[in-house]
Amino acid sequence: MPTADKHHRRRRAATMSKSNWFRLSSFQIFDLMFNQRNIHELTCLFTIVVILTCQCLADDGYEMDDFLKREHSLTKPYQGVGSSSSSHWDLMGNAIITTEHVRLTPDLQSRQGAVWSRVPCYLRDWELQVHFKIHGQGKKNLNGDGMALWYTKERMQTGPVFGNMNLFTGLGVFLDTYPNENNNHEKKYNPSTQRVFPYVSGMVGNGTLAYEHDRDGQSTELGGCTALVRNIPHDTFLLIRYTKNRLTIQIDVDGKQQWRDCLDLPGVRLPQGYFFGASSVTGDLSDNHDLISMKLYQLTVERPQEEEEVEELTVPSVDNFEQLNKVEVQEEGMSGVQLFFTIVFSIIGIFVLGVVAVVMYGRWKENSRKRFY
């Protein structure tokens, strides 16, 4: 019995010693992880993460929603583009879809193409990020003509403004790769008006203001910048932001993944319910104009209480831009067919009135004779 009791006491002591070792090790590990120095380091790390997160979410007083507005965005694999009833985008002209991009025009002469959203945009503040590529076989100044991005009342129209109609209503942002004015020998060379191409510019139209193709839209330009976007080995991007009646255009074409200011203009007023689109055109000179993505984000902006009520706009305008704001809406003239039928019906009306007048005069004369008898 004593031997057994002694053996039992040894086992118990060994067990207690082992248990104390585990408790001591656990305390040491806890102390190692959560001593004052490590807590300070964890606090610093957490602060850095919070600051970086805030910088990613906020910029100049606006915040991006957690997701982009897919009904207004065009991204790979472009399943929402086509003629089906569920599509959000329509193609027109020579535009085609590939696995890597929407090619608005190929590197061939006399082509034009476009892609237009079917869904009108009712966002008050938004940002459009565009990933594009312009490339071709032509040498410098032997390529053209460029592409345009649109937020307009009209959609699916063809015309001379980078494949879209002139006299448009809304916003147009032009990536012009060919200087028409510089090559117009009928005009005098004016160094003060020369721009280095490719050139990015913005214009707001009210339905009556015309884009002058021969002058590269210089008379109606709100502002712009030079952007070397053609045959670039890296990705090229353009950003259009509209918030608090302020239009901002930025570009990232240097491969540095940094936005560079191109246009920043307050007092721009764009109605809601317009359509986003992109178009391109080639003439005697050509290029591949590829649209890789268009991503639209809604911006959440803090406003004073007096600005919360949405101002209902019917016509786009720009403060202190007299050429746009003083243009009055003009009635369209009659077409040749309308004029023809107007003349024909006028002649018929005059003839009928003449016959009626003759009949009435005859009856009056007959009644006058009866009174004498």
Side-chain angles (χ1 to χ4, degrees):
M1 287 294 292
T3 304
D5 184 58
K6 185 178 181 180
H7 180 69
H8 177 72
R9 285 198 300 269
R10 288 178 178 176
R11 289 183 59 187
R12 185 177 179 183
T15 303
M16 291 178 64
S17 176
K18 188 175 182 180
S19 176
N20 290 336
W21 184 85
F22 275 114
R23 284 199 296 269
L24 182 60
S25 299
S26 300
F27 177 78
Q28 289 174 342
I29 294 173
F30 181 82
D31 182 64
L32 180 64
M33 292 178 61
F34 296 99
N35 59 29
Q36 185 175 1
R37 180 181 177 183
N38 288 339
I39 290 175
H40 178 70
E41 292 177 353
L42 289 172
T43 303
C44 293
L45 180 61
F46 178 77
T47 303
I48 293 173
V49 171
V50 170
I51 293 174
L52 291 176
T53 304
C54 293
Q55 288 178 345
C56 292
L57 293 177
D59 181 20
D60 297 333
Y62 71 88
E63 294 181 358
M64 283 191 182
D65 286 351
D66 291 337
F67 57 92
L68 56 79
K69 298 301 177 181
R70 299 188 181 277
E71 66 272 22
H72 301 296
S73 298
L74 180 67
T75 57
K76 298 177 184 179
Y78 313 114
Q79 294 178 347
V81 183
S83 58
S84 65
S85 58
S86 61
S87 299
H88 290 159
W89 295 82
D90 285 321
L91 290 177
M92 66 178 298
N94 301 114
I96 60 172
I97 302 176
T98 72
T99 57
E100 298 299 323
H101 51 250
V102 176
R103 176 154 291 175
L104 300 175
T105 56
D107 191 2
L108 297 171
Q109 294 179 340
S110 303
R111 299 289 192 272
Q112 65 178 19
V115 58
W116 283 96
S117 173
R118 292 183 179 180
V119 184
C121 178
Y122 290 96
L123 300 180
R124 190 175 181 182
D125 303 280
W126 47 265
E127 178 177 293
L128 183 67
Q129 297 184 13
V130 182
H131 185 188
F132 66 95
K133 187 176 182 66
I134 301 176
H135 57 105
Q137 299 297 322
K139 296 181 180 180
K140 185 178 180 181
N141 294 333
L142 292 176
N143 57 278
D145 284 333
M147 60 185 293
L149 304 166
W150 304 97
Y151 174 70
T152 56
K153 179 180 179 180
E154 307 86 6
R155 64 183 295 272
M156 300 293 287
Q157 303 291 324
T158 59
V161 186
F162 297 92
N164 190 28
M165 63 178 290
N166 209 338
L167 305 180
F168 59 88
T169 308
L171 171 67
V173 176
F174 311 125
L175 292 85
D176 197 345
T177 59
Y178 183 76
N180 293 287
E181 185 178 32
N182 294 357
N183 292 276
N184 189 341
H185 301 293
E186 296 180 0
K187 298 181 180 180
K188 282 188 176 182
Y189 176 78
N190 185 358
S192 63
T193 62
Q194 297 305 307
R195 297 175 291 180
V196 178
F197 282 72
Y199 190 81
V200 176
S201 63
M203 171 183 170
V204 170
N206 62 359
T208 64
L209 192 63
Y211 175 88
E212 294 181 299
H213 181 267
D214 291 340
R215 296 191 59 197
D216 302 310
Q218 210 172 81
S219 61
T220 54
E221 174 193 330
L222 298 177
C225 64
T226 296
L228 303 180
V229 298
R230 184 177 179 271
N231 286 343
I232 300 298
H234 48 259
D235 292 335
T236 49
F237 300 89
L238 184 143
L239 178 148
I240 306 170
R241 183 187 302 135
Y242 178 70
T243 177
K244 289 187 175 182
N245 297 331
R246 190 181 196 97
L247 176 66
T248 303
I249 299 177
Q250 296 179 323
I251 57 175
D252 175 11
V253 298
D254 301 321
K256 299 180 180 179
Q257 298 182 352
Q258 294 179 350
W259 293 114
R260 175 162 59 91
D261 291 338
C262 183
L263 182 153
D264 188 13
L265 185 67
V268 178
R269 308 181 190 280
L270 300 175
Q272 299 177 16
Y274 285 7
F275 298 91
F276 287 103
S279 66
S280 177
V281 67
T282 65
D284 294 334
L285 304 175
S286 63
D287 256 338
N288 295 305
H289 298 93
D290 298 337
L291 184 64
I292 300 172
S293 68
M294 294 176 64
K295 297 180 180 180
L296 185 76
Y297 296 90
Q298 181 177 8
L299 302 181
T300 303
V301 180
E302 293 185 1
R303 299 175 182 273
Q305 189 64 32
E306 58 271 15
E307 293 184 9
E308 285 300 324
E309 296 183 3
V310 179
E311 180 183 0
E312 186 175 354
L313 299 174
T314 56
V315 179
S317 65
V318 179
D319 294 349
N320 303 319
F321 191 64
E322 297 181 0
Q323 187 173 358
L324 175 66
N325 299 332
K326 285 188 176 181
V327 175
E328 298 180 356
V329 178
Q330 301 175 354
E331 296 183 359
E332 296 183 357
M334 291 185 294
S335 65
V337 176
Q338 291 175 326
L339 181 62
F340 171 76
F341 281 107
T342 300
I343 295 174
V344 169
F345 285 118
S346 298
I347 294 175
I348 293 175
I350 294 173
F351 176 76
V352 171
L353 289 175
V355 171
V356 171
V358 170
V359 172
M360 294 294 294
Y361 177 76
R363 289 183 179 180
W364 175 80
K365 193 172 183 180
E366 184 177 356
N367 293 333
S368 299
R369 289 177 181 176
K370 289 181 180 180
R371 283 200 297 269
F372 288 106
Y373 295 100

